[in-house]
């Protein structure tokens, strides 16, 4: 049975698209046929992060308006042939999305794909609403600072009350917390909320912590999802997250300071 | 709302209230027919109509091109023993006449249900609200129990007592006509006794609220002393002042 995953946050710039690209790639690399959809109509970014911006012909809105078939619009990823990208339209706005149209496209994708990752735009308006409406699982991407945490909390409220599952009284959406741009050093200095602080406010199952890392920016600039950079800490953190989501038990990394061991040794 | 105004005696107070008032919808301008029909109705249920207030709805008649003279109509209605208290759906001429007769003009709102009996309870409705009116037939408002986290932006309204087992996030609002119990962290706003019950109380395990209020007497986060923050407390009203008191928890 196909599962629809929404990657959402409320706040902008916290790493939704980076996360969508990484986990979609991770799921595909593990052998699951996966599609990733850019819901940020008018502010198309996912194609850049996936490095397929020069191969976009048709987009999500074309499919919704039945100007193109799904197969015409889906772009096969250059690194993994089980991964497909459905780009957003850059020349339209969120009003081009309709609940009925989005539902139809998702239903069609469900026939052929195991996982469908919906990359939500920021905000809580139409684009974000439709990205999460049909979801089975939600990855709530949060930065360790108060405004991001509050926006995530708001988004969790909407997931619990305004989604299809909520409206039809079905089992609620599975919600997972992804803490991104985490820097143990800065937590220690009191400049950032700790994992415990965030957990205390959101009381949500922690799927993983992504450390603040140069590799994320490098990956974005080169158009390869960071999870493919297997040497990088962020890439490994995303690989852990995908494994945990698929049911594996992996200990959390990147929460403690890397130098913690030596500091303990030398009393630093 | 001022908590320190307890010494000032006051002579009057404005309060908001809603009433159910019959609306007379007219579809003719034949005053003889109107008078005759009205008298028939009143004869059937004299007790019900005796001195009953009435709002006159002229929209339908005006739409049909009937020209109702308000002076004449009001005269007839008073004659059969009813008290007109306003009009709605009138044209400019009729609104002017209403003013001269010292009758208020009401706007036609889309929320009005056409048949008189279909009263619909209209709760304070804001976007992601969760309506939690207990759907029982018992006359006394039942307790509302919440077992899922109340997130920022969500609103819960309980007709009776409200019991919350989960956290109440900052930016969330829980409102009850009775008492509020939160067996977890209370970080949002909690308003108990919102219909004026000064006996209502708030109980919580971990007070970090943005605002607490009982029967309209409130305190904001800034006014909560450090001595009570993060503590298990009960909050009640004494001489129009909010008292926050530790609850001794026996483990």
């Amino acid at each position: 049975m196909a599962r629809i995953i929404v990657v959402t946050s409320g706040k902008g710039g916290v790493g939704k698209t980076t996360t969508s690209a990484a986990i979609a790639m991770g799921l595909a690399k593990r052998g699951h046929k996966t599609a990733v959809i850019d819901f940020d109509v008018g502010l198309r970014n996912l194609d850049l992060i996936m490095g397929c911006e020069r191969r976009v012909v048709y987009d999500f809105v074309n499919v919704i308006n039945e100007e193109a078939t799904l197969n015409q619009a889906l772009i096969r990823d250059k690194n993994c042939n089980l991964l497909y990208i459905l780009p957003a339209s850059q020349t339209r706005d969120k009003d081009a999305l309709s609940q009925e149209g989005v539902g139809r496209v998702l239903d069609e994708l469900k026939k052929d794909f195991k996982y469908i990752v919906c990359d939500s735009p920021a905000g809580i308006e139409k684009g974000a609403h439709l990205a999460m409406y049909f979801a089975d699982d939600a990855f709530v991407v949060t930065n360790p600072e108060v405004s991001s945490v509050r926006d995530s909390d708001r988004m969790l409220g909407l997931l619990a009350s305004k989604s299809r599952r909520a409206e039809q009284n079905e089992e609620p959406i599975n919600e997972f917390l992804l803490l991104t741009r985490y820097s143990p050093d800065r937590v220690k200095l009191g400049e950032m909320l700790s994992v415990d602080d965030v957990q205390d406010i959101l009381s949500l199952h922690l799927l993983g912590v992504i450390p603040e890392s140069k590799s994320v920016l490098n990956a974005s600039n080169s158009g390869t999802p960071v999870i493919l950079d297997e040497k990088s800490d962020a890439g490994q953190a995303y690989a852990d997250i995908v494994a945990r989501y698929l049911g594996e038990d992996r200990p959390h990394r990147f929460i403690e300071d890397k130098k913690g061991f030596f500091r303990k040794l030398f009393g630093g | 709302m001022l908590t320190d105004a307890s010494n000032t005696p006051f002579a009057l107070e404005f309060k908001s209230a809603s009433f159910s008032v019959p609306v007379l919808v007219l579809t003719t301008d034949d005053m003889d027919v109107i008078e005759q029909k009205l008298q028939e109705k009143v004869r059937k249920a004299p007790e019900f109509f005796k001195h009953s207030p009435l709002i006159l709805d002229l929209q339908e008649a005006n739409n049909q091109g009937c020209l109702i003279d308000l002076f004449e109509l009001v005269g007839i209605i008073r004659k059969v023993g009813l008290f007109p208290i306003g009009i709605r759906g009138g044209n400019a001429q009729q609104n002017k006449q209403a003013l001269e007769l010292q009758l208020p003009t009401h706007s036609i709102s889309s929320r009005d249900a056409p048949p008189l009996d279909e009263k619909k309870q209209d709760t304070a409705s804001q976007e992601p609200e969760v309506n939690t009116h207990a759907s029982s037939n018992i006359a006394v408002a039942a307790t509302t129990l919440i077992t899922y986290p109340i997130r920022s932006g969500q609103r819960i309204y309980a007709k009776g007592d409200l019991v919350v087992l989960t956290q109440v996030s900052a930016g969330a609002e829980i409102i009850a006509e009775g008492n509020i119990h939160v067996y977890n962290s209370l970080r949002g706003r909690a308003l108990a006794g919102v219909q004026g019950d000064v006996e209502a109380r708030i109980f919580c395990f971990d007070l970090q609220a943005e605002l607490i209020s009982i029967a309209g007497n409130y305190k904001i986060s800034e006014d909560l002393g450090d001595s009570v923050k993060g503590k298990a407390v009960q909050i009640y009203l004494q001489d129009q002042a909010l008292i926050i008191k530790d609850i001794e928890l026996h483990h």
Side-chain angles (χ1 to χ4, degrees):
Chain A
M1 190 58 194
R3 285 200 82 78
I4 299 174
I5 302 168
V6 62
V7 178
T8 188
S9 69
K11 196 170 186 300
V14 296
K16 284 182 294 297
T17 302
T18 298
T19 299
S20 299
I23 60 160
M25 178 62 80
L27 289 166
K29 279 276 181 194
R30 305 268 309 227
H32 304 289
K33 196 171 178 191
T34 302
V36 56
I37 308 176
D38 190 350
F39 273 79
D40 207 348
V41 177
L43 291 167
R44 186 172 89 195
N45 278 158
L46 181 69
D47 54 324
L48 289 172
I49 307 291
M50 300 294 301
C52 66
E53 73 277 12
R54 285 183 295 176
R55 289 190 286 148
V56 175
V57 184
Y58 295 109
D59 57 48
F60 191 19
V61 172
N62 291 138
V63 181
I64 285 175
N65 294 341
E66 295 177 320
E67 295 152 2
T69 66
L70 198 50
N71 282 332
Q72 284 174 308
L74 283 170
I75 302 170
R76 180 186 282 193
D77 186 78
K78 59 190 175 193
N79 292 300
C80 182
N81 60 13
L82 285 176
L83 178 59
Y84 289 80
I85 299 120
L86 184 54
S89 169
Q90 182 70 347
T91 54
R92 307 293 291 272
D93 60 34
K94 308 289 189 280
D95 290 333
L97 299 173
S98 65
Q99 184 157 308
E100 184 267 329
V102 171
R104 191 160 32 79
V105 173
L106 289 175
D107 277 344
E108 208 178 327
L109 284 168
K110 275 166 110 172
K111 289 179 203 151
D112 204 22
F113 288 88
K114 180 79 205 324
Y115 293 104
I116 301 153
V117 177
C118 301
D119 180 22
S120 173
I124 55 172
E125 286 75 31
K126 197 173 185 187
H129 172 72
L130 289 176
M132 66 86 168
Y133 184 76
F134 297 97
D136 302 304
D137 302 309
F139 287 14
V140 179
V141 182
T142 307
N143 285 170
E145 49 99 12
V146 284
S147 60
S148 174
V149 172
R150 176 171 295 184
D151 289 0
S152 292
D153 194 49
R154 176 89 165 98
M155 191 44 86
L156 287 162
L158 295 175
L159 289 168
S161 61
K162 294 279 159 182
S163 61
R164 185 189 60 86
R165 280 173 175 269
E167 285 181 3
Q168 299 188 357
N169 259 331
E170 289 178 22
E171 210 174 292
I173 295 175
N174 293 313
E175 301 157 341
F176 303 101
L177 174 65
L178 267 74
L179 205 52
T180 53
R181 310 198 66 167
Y182 194 75
S183 163
D185 278 341
R186 299 187 61 192
V187 171
K188 207 169 268 177
L189 291 170
E191 298 172 355
M192 250 185 202
L193 296 177
S194 69
V195 174
D196 289 343
D197 293 337
V198 178
Q199 287 274 74
D200 186 41
I201 300 172
L202 294 180
S203 48
L204 200 60
H205 178 72
L206 179 72
L207 201 57
V209 173
I210 314 295
E212 174 81 71
S213 168
K214 275 182 199 154
S215 56
V216 172
L217 190 60
N218 292 340
S220 299
N221 288 336
S222 66
T224 34
V226 69
I227 198 167
L228 294 175
D229 185 356
E230 286 164 17
K231 289 200 191 77
S232 71
D233 46 2
Q236 291 172 20
Y238 276 117
D240 282 359
I241 281 170
V242 170
R244 283 189 204 107
Y245 174 69
L246 293 174
E248 283 176 37
D249 194 15
R250 290 206 184 176
H252 282 284
R253 298 190 273 172
F254 314 109
I255 295 179
E256 295 298 321
D257 199 335
K258 267 177 287 183
K259 298 159 217 151
F261 176 69
F262 293 101
R263 284 219 180 127
K264 264 180 219 153
L265 267 186
F266 303 112
Chain B
M1 288 290 220
L2 289 171
T3 45
D4 56 356
S6 50
N7 299 329
T8 324
F10 50 85
L12 55 80
E13 193 178 2
F14 279 107
K15 284 194 168 173
S16 175
S18 39
F19 298 91
S20 185
V21 176
V23 174
L24 181 65
V25 181
L26 296 154
T27 48
T28 176
D29 55 3
D30 187 331
M31 291 298 158
D32 293 338
V33 173
I34 293 174
E35 183 171 358
Q36 197 188 335
K37 293 273 178 196
L38 268 177
Q39 270 168 349
E40 272 172 34
K41 292 267 183 200
V42 172
R43 212 175 305 128
K44 273 185 201 156
E47 278 311 305
F48 179 80
F49 283 109
K50 192 178 176 189
H51 300 160
S52 169
L54 196 65
I55 287 179
L56 312 174
D57 187 333
L58 306 171
Q59 190 178 45
E60 192 58 37
N62 287 337
N63 285 349
Q64 291 177 12
C66 301
L67 299 167
I68 291 178
D69 181 79
L70 202 59
F71 293 139
E72 210 176 330
L73 178 65
V74 167
I76 288 170
I77 286 166
R78 292 207 167 120
K79 206 165 91 187
V80 296
L82 297 164
F83 293 160
I85 59 163
I87 69 158
R88 64 177 193 178
N91 58 28
Q93 169 72 15
Q94 288 159 341
N95 287 346
K96 203 171 143 248
Q97 288 183 324
L99 211 63
E100 283 176 44
L101 288 161
Q102 297 189 342
L103 289 177
T105 54
H106 302 272
S107 60
I108 303 240
S109 99
S110 56
R111 281 191 312 186
D112 289 315
L116 180 79
D117 310 319
E118 280 180 38
K119 270 193 292 176
K120 212 180 143 197
Q121 186 97 38
D122 188 45
T123 55
S125 61
Q126 238 187 20
E127 179 222 326
E129 180 181 344
V130 191
N131 266 324
T132 54
H133 296 270
S135 55
S136 65
N137 295 321
I138 310 160
V140 181
T143 299
T144 304
L145 176 70
I146 304 287
T147 56
Y148 49 86
I150 304 172
R151 303 287 185 182
S152 187
Q154 287 186 309
R155 252 178 141 205
I156 305 283
Y157 189 99
K159 299 283 275 178
D161 285 4
L162 177 61
V163 177
V164 183
L165 301 182
T166 46
Q167 61 170 7
V168 179
S169 293
E173 207 166 57
I174 53 174
I175 308 161
E177 292 178 15
N179 305 301
I180 291 177
H181 305 253
V182 182
Y183 296 98
N184 211 308
S185 294
L186 170 57
R187 300 194 176 100
R189 299 168 159 227
L191 297 91
V194 287
Q195 294 295 329
D197 181 2
V198 292
E199 299 292 313
R201 292 187 180 207
I202 298 171
F203 306 86
C204 72
F205 263 25
D206 172 19
L207 178 69
Q208 302 181 39
E210 294 172 320
L211 180 143
I212 45 168
S213 162
I214 291 172
N217 300 274
Y218 67 92
K219 262 189 179 162
I220 55 173
S221 173
E222 234 175 42
D223 302 334
L224 302 177
D226 286 339
S227 58
V228 292
K229 269 191 185 159
K231 294 246 175 77
V233 296
Q234 63 159 318
I235 301 153
Y236 55 94
L237 211 52
Q238 204 170 60
D239 301 327
Q240 296 188 35
L242 283 179
I243 310 291
I244 305 174
K245 211 170 166 185
D246 282 18
I247 300 175
E248 298 281 328
L249 291 175
H250 298 284
H251 294 287

